[in-house]
Amino acid sequence: MHADPQYIILLGPPASGKGTQAIKLQQALELPHVASGDLFRYNLKHDTELVLRAKGYMNRGELVPDDVSIRMVMARLSQPDCEGGALLDGFPRTIAQAEALEAALAEEEAQVNLVLNIVVPDDVLVERVTGLRLCRECGASYHIKFLQPQEAGICDKCGGELYQRPDDTEETVRTRITVYWEQTSPLVSYYRQQGVLVDIDGDQPVGKVTEALKAEVATL
Ligand code: AMP
């Protein structure tokens, strides 16, 4: 455990590679990967009251209301494995969420240490999303064109079944990108002003992006 907890945020539009990169970074950082989208999807399976409110928003590609998202992520961050901090992916997505996070961390005398802003042009995002496939067992991600598994539909790492997320249709993706520009992109200037944000070119091979991210993390 770190003496000072470390909170690192992966920021970027849908399909900028946050999830893929988080899995790679998590090993190097020894921080738990806290992905709000994964938390929602996990909770959806268990039909908790919290997530019943979220389902319609998610399926339309809209943001779940702040109070629901904040409650869910804060509950996760208060678990013992997050005592040393976390690698946040998909949260915060609005200024209100960022302020709630800041207030909660301040109570622990902690703060956001680094925001890695993954930059990818919109047209690249749509192609990426519609071809994305995920492993049901371990969460590893593949692409039908750019990152094919050795055997179609099967995870190379654990043999699990690959699936397409229900919110990964072209129509939903376009909504999610619009939502990103309207509600999430203001976080770029918010964190830039705080001096904790770095831009990372996300339109390059996965390994190159990982290298760039690791180089920034090493400066902490
Ligand atoms: P993701 O897996 O991060 O792309 O998230 C999938 C969906 O979950 C989003 O399109 C939203 O509907 C919802 N979601 C995830 N994280 C948040 C958040 N921080 N605030 C609001 N909605 C969220």
Side-chain angles (χ1 to χ4, degrees):
M1 199 172 70
H2 293 280
D4 295 318
Q6 292 207 310
Y7 290 89
I8 300 177
I9 295 173
L10 282 167
L11 190 63
S16 53
K18 299 190 299 291
T20 306
Q21 295 299 338
I23 291 169
K24 294 178 184 293
L25 275 185
Q26 181 189 24
Q27 294 152 1
L29 282 169
E30 295 179 32
L31 285 178
H33 172 204
V34 174
S36 48
D38 289 348
L39 286 177
F40 277 125
R41 282 183 287 277
Y42 172 83
N43 286 325
L44 272 184
K45 278 196 230 153
H46 298 80
D47 267 7
T48 61
E49 173 267 328
L50 177 73
V51 161
L52 287 178
R53 282 187 58 200
K55 198 169 183 170
Y57 295 97
M58 288 180 73
N59 288 342
R60 288 190 300 274
E62 295 166 11
L63 291 191
V64 173
D66 280 334
D67 64 319
V68 180
S69 306
I70 291 168
R71 231 176 351 130
M72 190 189 61
V73 175
M74 292 311 162
R76 175 69 188 89
L77 289 180
S78 66
Q79 287 171 5
D81 64 318
C82 293
E83 264 176 28
L87 176 61
L88 287 159
D89 158 12
F91 184 95
R93 254 183 169 87
T94 63
I95 296 284
Q97 291 179 14
E99 287 171 350
L101 175 66
E102 205 170 305
L105 297 186
E107 275 180 31
E108 312 290 323
E109 289 178 25
Q111 69 219 341
V112 171
N113 303 86
L114 180 63
V115 179
L116 299 159
N117 181 38
I118 307 182
V119 182
V120 180
D122 287 1
D123 52 349
V124 177
L125 298 173
V126 174
E127 190 179 24
R128 281 189 184 180
V129 172
T130 49
L132 187 67
R133 299 294 180 271
L134 301 171
C135 175
R136 263 189 215 291
E137 304 301 322
C138 73
S141 51
Y142 298 87
H143 192 280
I144 54 169
K145 205 162 138 190
F146 307 129
L147 193 65
Q148 295 169 343
Q150 280 164 6
E151 200 181 328
I154 307 286
C155 178
D156 291 347
K157 297 187 177 74
C158 76
E161 183 200 355
L162 302 186
Y163 77 107
Q164 181 174 26
R165 274 169 34 178
D167 57 348
D168 278 350
T169 62
E170 179 157 353
E171 191 196 352
T172 315
V173 169
R174 293 211 180 270
T175 307
R176 284 161 63 204
I177 293 172
T178 307
V179 166
Y180 168 81
W181 283 113
E182 288 175 0
Q183 300 187 55
T184 306
S185 69
L187 290 177
V188 174
S189 20
Y190 179 86
Y191 285 121
R192 209 186 291 286
Q193 272 166 22
Q194 293 188 8
V196 290
L197 182 132
V198 286
D199 290 321
I200 302 288
D201 177 7
D203 190 13
Q204 45 175 352
V206 174
K208 292 267 176 217
V209 180
T210 309
E211 272 173 34
L213 292 168
K214 282 189 177 163
E216 288 303 332
V217 165
T219 64
L220 278 180

